[in-house]
Amino acid sequence: MLFQVRMDVQIPADLPADVANDIKAREKAYSQELQRSGKWRHIWRVVGEYANYSIFDVDSNEELHELLTGLPLFPYMRIAVTPLCRHPSSVREDDRQE
């Protein structure tokens, strides 16, 4: 199942810098692990914002929920999820038809 996920990060200004830096380092490691596994297929930064658009390829809604809530930055995020399916006019054969 493919999902487009927009993540807007809002770290509190009063969060100590060392705590914020630790969370960001754990976030990077976790997200890169998911990318290598193929679960997090794409990630794009939104220009001028602390936000991204990502594409996840997971087996279920529950799996996506677990992955997102496992993000170290999750407590500081606003997340919007859009389910996707392959468009019949797509020329990309590597996109799964759900």
Side-chain angles (χ1 to χ4, degrees), residues 42-75:
H42 301 282
I43 182 170
W44 293 278
R45 177 177 293 178
V46 178
V47 175
E49 299 180 36
Y50 196 166
N52 73 75
Y53 279 104
S54 294
I55 303 295
F56 285 82
D57 188 355
V58 294
D59 294 327
S60 67
N61 294 335
E62 292 79 13
E63 182 182 14
L64 179 63
H65 181 77
E66 287 180 25
L67 295 179
L68 295 177
T69 58
L71 291 165
L73 282 170
F74 179 77

Side-chain angles (χ1 to χ4, degrees), residues 12-27:
D14 62 349
L15 190 67
D18 60 329
V19 173
N21 289 336
D22 177 64
I23 294 168
K24 290 176 194 178
R26 290 186 291 117
E27 179 85 9

